[in-house]
Amino acid sequence: MATIHVDGKQYEVDGADNLLQACLNLGLDIPYFCWHPALGSVGACRQCAVKSYRDETDKMGRIVMSCMTPASNGTYISIADDEAKDFRASVVEFLMTNHPHDCPVCEEGGHCHLQDMTVMTAHHSRSYRFDKRTHLNQDLGPFIGHEMNRCISCYRCVRYYKDYAGGTDLGVYGAAANVYFGRVEDGALESEFSGNLTEVCPTGVFTDKTHSERYTRKWDMQYSPSICTGCAVGCNVSPGERYGEIRRIENRYHGDLNGYFLCDRGRFGYGYTNLKDRPRQALINGQTVAGDVAVAAARTAINGARKTLAIGSPRASVEANYALRELVGAANFHDGHATGEGALVKLALSIVREGPVRAATITEIENADAVLVLGEDVTATAPRVALALRQAARGKGQALAAEKKVAEWQTIALADLLQRDSYPVFVASVDATRLDDIARDKLRAAPEDLARLGFAIAHELDGASPAVGDLDHRSAALARTVAEVLAGAKRPLIVSGTGAGSAAVMQAAANIAWALKAKTADTGLVLTLPEANSYGLALLDPQPLAAALAALSSGEADTLVVLENDLERRAPKALLDAALAKVKNLIVIDHSASATTARAQVVLPAATVFEGDGTLVNYEGRAQRHFQVFDPGYYDASIGLTESWRWLASVDGESRWKILDDMTAACAQAVPALAGIVDAAPNAAFRIDGMKIAREPHRYSGRTAMRANQSVHEPRQPQDADTALSFSMEGYNGTGSLDRPTELLPYAWAPGWNSPSAWNKLQQEVGGNLRGGNPGKLLFAGGATPRYFSDVPAAFVASGDAFRVLALHLHFGGDELSSRAEPIRERAIPAFVAIPRVDFAKTGANGHATVAIAGTLLQLPTRISETLPAGTIGLPAGFAGIPFLADGLMATVSGG
């Protein structure tokens, strides 16, 4: 700790911080541009100037940049000194010399850091009377708009994109006062995290192009706290709605998870909610009917059935899956994961819940000092984890800085140190990954051989772990190297998951983590999962999907209820067709049109994550609540969708579940493993000073604007009985003596701070946890040390002319929901077949190939892979036109 004096007052601060961060932690406002909590200090903008004094007797002082000055003990500074204030005002005027001053038409207007800082410096006049410098803007793809004329040269964009996110195609060009931030030529930004530029940039240079198409000011959108469903990480997001459409997704800060950043799939994949062809009214045999008529038909079908089975969903809420289980009974409730995938999720659950190593948070991942990625392309299966792994590698710079007594916030010094070294990251996967550029060593192999490598590493760490016989020389040498590095680390981390489709891979990863735990207490483990609520579904202990399909095929059951699931993505088509052919009544509850809804006799239109409330359980076992952003029926009374659990409660005919709290409490009581979900967020009765929490900013144009596109009359806003949030600007908005619970923070705002930088005002310390704690409730946190897994698989052997099919996971195009969004479809590549170079000639393929797989012929363009193992081919999982890819599937390939 250090004692500093600011404008005559004494404060205790962290001496490791710079003065800017120390003052912000104290609640003191100093304007800044180039500094960012995640990016450090470079002193490029000169906006954070303060007056520094030698001691209390010094009356002259000197101007210093607070972001580049340590908060040393005995420091005396003044923020309010006239010379400092004049200096800051002159800096703003200089930075604004070539700015177009186009706030009325700029997408950043109203939540712009530049606007906030200009107001904070009390600068309002411009004296520049000459021609302004202008730039030619670039087309940066479907996600990001570009307006270089607004640039103030803070360098945040390239520091984030290149240094933090590892991108290579965005740079700075030119010199002095004529610099340009962009690409060498037009083209989509290649990084899967490019969307963060829209929040990192303090002006309107990089803007959300998906929002620009239907632009609305921040103060005229309605928000709610929500959870991204793009993967199982559970990033917190702040979706904004206007006129019954989701218009933008912004990051909602979480100190243990996403921090300040999201991936592009999560940020831009919201378009499936706005699709006009999704089910919005109840259907019976394809004909629109009233909701109560469809409910009656579903109830009649279930009551008259010989036997009713149900298939849950890993993308639906815990409450919806529990309501479905209650409707049909636990014995008839089945897993909604793909065939074989459900068993992998249950294995992952047992490893993190019963084993001695709990799942690591994103923050803990960033602090790891040695990493092994086993069997995953993490950028596709858990993108935010991949971004954290890049920070883990960069963490060596902080260690080197500590040795040389250089502050962590000295970005340029750290970057110089990182040119020499980084923390080791080892990547073992079936094909090349987007993390290969930071890998110290890599191995490409079939899942069986990846598992054998993992078992060998565990055996090197602990001889009690099973040995691996006949391991090839390359793998044996790598196992020794990785084991030595991990054993010597203070905070080793193992990353694996369901992506390889192999139980043995996850078991090997668990063995490594458990062997390390005996040596190093700070061992971390991350197991990626298929979907947002995979653990939430697994904790309900569903029966296997294969059992449901077998029972339907045999005629044992004749009625099937499917919850938020496209079954064609879950099982081989032939097996699925045989099962559904025997179904007399197919009842589907979903928010997206699919091959399954097309088969259904009854379709009940469900709410998306943005239109309903519920609980999801992420890869850590953290239960998090998502809240309804808007009520679609308020804008169009003909829309009949509602939450899936509410439909199921109506079909059940029970009256005990009136609001979400009733359903959550019932689930928590019935399923002990889910007892903690009631604490994931305050209940519907929560109030602050007798008020609900406002979903809309206090500057909202007024209730008459909520439906201004339809009528200027003032209807009563929707009444939300399910939550402590109000569908209006009326209610508590964070300006009083009490603050909102972190689970109920809909958007970032603080007095004087309208941009995403407002999150800094809501934290215990800048860049740390939110005041009141980070949202969510951990349902489990590790157990006792079990016995090592011992089933070491045999090595993979190529099989003549048949190829082992490996599922390739890609960031864009494979996710069921985000792939429906137009910008994501534009960014995704067409489906393809990847063939190892060593096998390419014998296939006879020449640009295109015919792939015979599971009784289906696919005509696909080819890609020659330099990294796929011989005897395998790769197909992009989840892509349109690609059938369900079961583990161990074989295929033949011939010329197209």
Side-chain angles (χ1 to χ4, degrees):
M1 298 298 291
T3 300
I4 66 171
H5 303 263
V6 183
D7 289 316
K9 294 182 179 181
Q10 180 175 307
Y11 300 95
E12 295 293 323
V13 300
D14 186 345
D17 292 339
N18 57 49
L19 282 173
L20 173 60
Q21 185 164 351
C23 289
L24 292 175
N25 286 339
L26 294 170
L28 305 174
D29 287 344
I30 299 177
Y32 63 88
F33 289 119
C34 64
W35 179 81
H36 186 282
L39 305 178
S41 304
V42 292
C45 70
R46 324 305 290 171
Q47 182 61 77
C48 64
V50 296
K51 182 68 79 68
S52 175
Y53 303 92
R54 289 192 307 274
D55 52 39
E56 67 271 20
T57 64
D58 184 4
K59 303 302 180 184
M60 294 293 292
R62 61 191 180 95
I63 295 291
V64 299
M65 301 306 118
S66 59
C67 79
M68 299 297 290
T69 305
S72 303
N73 192 49
T75 296
Y76 288 78
I77 64 169
S78 173
I79 301 172
D81 177 81
D82 287 340
E83 185 181 1
K85 290 166 65 176
D86 291 343
F87 185 92
R88 294 195 295 265
S90 67
V91 168
V92 165
E93 183 170 11
F94 176 74
L95 292 175
M96 297 289 284
T97 298
N98 289 295
H99 193 281
H101 305 146
D102 57 344
C103 300
V105 297
C106 176
E107 289 94 329
E108 291 295 295
H111 74 144
C112 173
H113 186 73
L114 176 59
Q115 287 180 333
D116 289 346
M117 298 300 100
T118 302
V119 172
M120 192 177 293
T121 58
H123 175 68
H124 54 80
S125 62
R126 311 283 184 265
S127 58
Y128 186 75
R129 297 177 287 105
F130 307 99
D131 291 341
K132 297 200 174 203
R133 176 202 63 213
T134 56
H135 292 291
L136 180 67
N137 300 317
Q138 291 183 312
D139 180 359
L140 299 179
F143 299 154
I144 306 296
H146 192 223
E147 178 49 80
M148 256 303 296
N149 297 311
R150 299 172 183 150
C151 183
I152 59 170
S153 302
C154 70
Y155 288 81
R156 271 196 191 183
C157 57
V158 291
R159 289 160 54 210
Y160 159 74
Y161 193 88
K162 298 177 70 173
D163 298 339
Y164 195 95
T168 58
D169 60 318
L170 179 76
V172 54
Y173 308 95
N178 188 27
V179 292
Y180 187 92
F181 297 89
R183 302 180 83 245
V184 172
E185 58 185 5
D186 285 10
L189 290 168
E190 296 171 3
S191 172
E192 294 84 358
F193 306 95
S194 65
N196 294 306
L197 290 170
T198 65
E199 295 185 31
V200 168
C201 177
T203 75
V205 176
F206 298 99
T207 56
D208 184 340
K209 189 179 287 188
T210 69
H211 180 217
S212 301
E213 296 170 357
R214 301 179 313 284
Y215 180 71
T216 303
R217 293 290 188 200
K218 176 177 182 174
W219 61 74
D220 275 337
M221 285 193 287
Q222 185 167 236
Y223 302 86
S224 80
S226 195
I227 307 299
C228 177
T229 58
C231 73
V233 172
C235 293
N236 287 206
V237 296
S238 180
E241 170 269 342
R242 178 70 162 173
Y243 297 149
E245 288 185 336
I246 298 297
R247 296 292 178 89
R248 180 176 65 201
I249 298 290
E250 286 190 301
N251 182 67
R252 184 164 64 98
Y253 184 88
H254 191 296
D256 284 329
L257 289 174
N258 41 292
Y260 292 95
F261 305 120
L262 299 173
C263 76
D264 288 354
R265 189 168 70 204
R267 186 182 292 273
F268 301 115
Y270 61 84
Y272 67 91
T273 295
N274 300 334
L275 292 177
K276 302 304 180 185
D277 62 349
R278 52 175 285 218
R280 293 178 182 269
Q281 291 89 26
L283 303 173
I284 294 180
N285 295 322
Q287 301 299 312
T288 301
V289 298
D292 56 351
V293 174
V295 166
R299 186 184 301 132
T300 299
I302 292 171
N303 291 339
R306 181 166 57 251
K307 185 177 183 180
T308 300
L309 302 182
I311 297 175
S313 171
R315 60 174 166 88
S317 69
V318 169
E319 290 84 358
N321 280 289
Y322 173 72
L324 181 59
R325 194 180 84 153
E326 286 293 286
L327 177 66
V328 301
N332 298 320
F333 175 66
H334 294 78
D335 202 341
H337 285 99
T339 301
E341 207 169 55
L344 295 177
V345 172
K346 287 190 174 183
L347 172 61
L349 179 61
S350 69
I351 290 172
V352 299
R353 185 169 61 164
E354 300 166 13
V357 183
R358 62 174 178 81
T361 67
I362 295 295
T363 302
E364 290 168 339
I365 295 169
E366 292 176 343
N367 290 326
D369 59 356
V371 180
L372 169 64
V373 179
L374 187 66
E376 291 293 307
D377 185 349
V378 191
T379 310
T381 57
R384 190 60 185 82
V385 172
L387 188 59
L389 291 177
R390 290 191 176 276
Q391 311 327 306
R394 296 175 67 237
K396 185 61 175 292
Q398 296 177 354
L400 294 173
E403 293 177 6
K404 298 180 181 299
K405 295 181 170 45
V406 175
E408 290 184 5
W409 42 265
Q410 288 279 15
T411 302
I412 295 176
L414 262 65
D416 182 59
L417 292 171
L418 277 170
Q419 293 182 39
R420 302 180 178 89
D421 201 0
S422 63
Y423 278 140
V425 177
F426 299 94
V427 178
S429 58
V430 298
D431 198 11
T433 77
R434 294 284 282 172
L435 288 177
D436 287 355
D437 59 308
I438 63 169
R440 179 166 295 186
D441 203 349
K442 304 177 286 289
L443 178 71
R444 307 287 174 248
E448 295 90 341
D449 294 328
L450 295 177
R452 288 167 61 82
L453 170 69
F455 279 112
I457 294 171
H459 182 71
E460 291 284 342
L461 291 167
D462 184 355
S465 179
V468 180
D470 300 324
L471 194 64
D472 66 272
H473 177 73
R474 161 78 171 118
S475 297
L478 182 59
R480 288 191 294 270
T481 299
V482 173
E484 181 180 354
V485 171
L486 293 175
K490 296 179 180 178
R491 298 175 300 279
L493 174 71
I494 310 303
V495 180
S496 189
T498 62
S502 168
V505 167
M506 280 198 294
Q507 291 170 346
N511 279 9
I512 299 170
W514 296 343
L516 284 169
K517 181 68 173 180
K519 300 174 180 293
T520 307
D522 288 335
T523 298
L525 175 65
V526 173
L527 297 179
T528 69
L529 304 171
E531 298 194 44
N533 198 32
S534 287
Y535 274 165
L537 176 57
L539 287 167
L540 288 167
D541 197 23
Q543 307 300 316
L545 176 62
L549 298 181
L552 293 170
S553 298
S554 67
E556 176 186 339
D558 62 351
T559 298
L560 177 64
V561 184
V562 178
L563 171 66
E564 298 186 33
N565 221 322
D566 181 4
L567 297 182
E568 290 205 353
R569 298 176 64 92
R570 309 298 188 182
K573 187 172 181 359
L575 182 62
L576 184 62
D577 288 345
L580 295 184
K582 300 290 186 69
V583 173
K584 179 181 177 182
N585 297 296
L586 176 59
I587 303 164
V588 178
I589 307 169
D590 207 346
H591 51 67
S592 297
S594 68
T596 305
T597 59
R599 293 175 183 251
Q601 283 73 49
V602 178
V603 175
L604 301 175
T608 69
V609 68
F610 307 117
E611 298 163 336
D613 311 301
T615 307
L616 305 175
V617 182
N618 79 340
Y619 79 99
E620 304 168 274
R622 185 190 299 264
Q624 299 187 104
R625 191 73 43 80
H626 64 83
F627 294 93
Q628 187 176 9
V629 185
F630 67 103
D631 179 2
Y634 179 71
Y635 299 97
D636 185 350
S638 68
I639 294 177
L641 57 84
T642 189
E643 290 101 329
S644 294
W645 69 261
R646 211 180 291 275
W647 280 122
L648 290 161
S650 298
V651 173
D652 196 348
E654 296 286 348
S655 60
R656 63 184 185 274
W657 304 324
K658 295 296 186 183
I659 63 174
L660 180 70
D661 288 344
D662 298 337
M663 176 61 70
T664 303
C667 178
Q669 184 175 5
V671 185
L674 289 165
I677 65 173
V678 295
D679 299 319
N683 62 28
F686 179 84
R687 300 290 186 274
I688 295 181
D689 293 341
M691 296 183 289
K692 283 194 164 194
I693 309 298
R695 280 181 169 92
E696 298 167 358
H698 67 284
R699 295 184 299 165
Y700 199 87
S701 296
R703 193 184 301 164
T704 54
M706 292 176 72
R707 300 202 308 179
N709 61 327
Q710 300 179 31
S711 170
V712 295
H713 294 288
E714 186 175 336
R716 187 187 189 204
Q717 71 270 26
Q719 303 302 297
D720 188 356
D722 288 305
T723 77
L725 298 162
S726 66
F727 284 112
S728 73
M729 62 187 288
E730 299 162 2
Y732 185 77
N733 60 19
T735 59
S737 59
L738 297 174
D739 209 352
R740 296 159 290 183
T742 55
E743 296 86 356
L744 298 179
L745 288 172
Y747 52 83
W749 180 83
W753 298 77
N754 300 289
S755 76
S757 297
W759 287 116
N760 298 341
K761 308 295 286 186
L762 305 174
Q763 298 160 352
Q764 296 173 8
E765 58 182 16
V766 175
N769 293 331
L770 290 168
R771 280 194 232 124
N774 295 316
K777 172 69 174 180
L778 284 175
L779 302 182
F780 47 82
T785 303
R787 293 196 307 173
Y788 287 121
F789 293 106
S790 58
D791 294 332
V792 180
F796 169 72
V797 178
S799 177
D801 293 332
F803 292 90
R804 166 78 175 278
V805 179
L806 301 178
L808 304 181
H809 299 277
L810 303 182
H811 187 78
F812 300 114
D815 174 64
E816 179 182 2
L817 299 183
S818 70
S819 61
R820 300 173 186 267
E822 179 58 36
I824 298 291
R825 288 202 301 268
E826 186 176 339
R827 186 69 173 80
I829 60 175
F832 62 91
V833 54
I835 306 172
R837 181 175 292 279
V838 295
D839 293 326
F840 192 79
K842 73 177 183 180
T843 65
N846 185 17
H848 284 77
T850 300
V851 181
I853 176 173
T856 302
L857 293 180
L858 304 177
Q859 302 290 331
L860 295 171
T862 58
R863 286 189 170 190
I864 300 176
S865 173
E866 307 291 347
T867 49
L868 272 176
T872 69
I873 61 170
L875 291 174
F879 272 48
I882 300 297
F884 170 74
L885 303 177
D887 184 45
L889 197 63
M890 302 297 290
T892 60
V893 181
S894 58

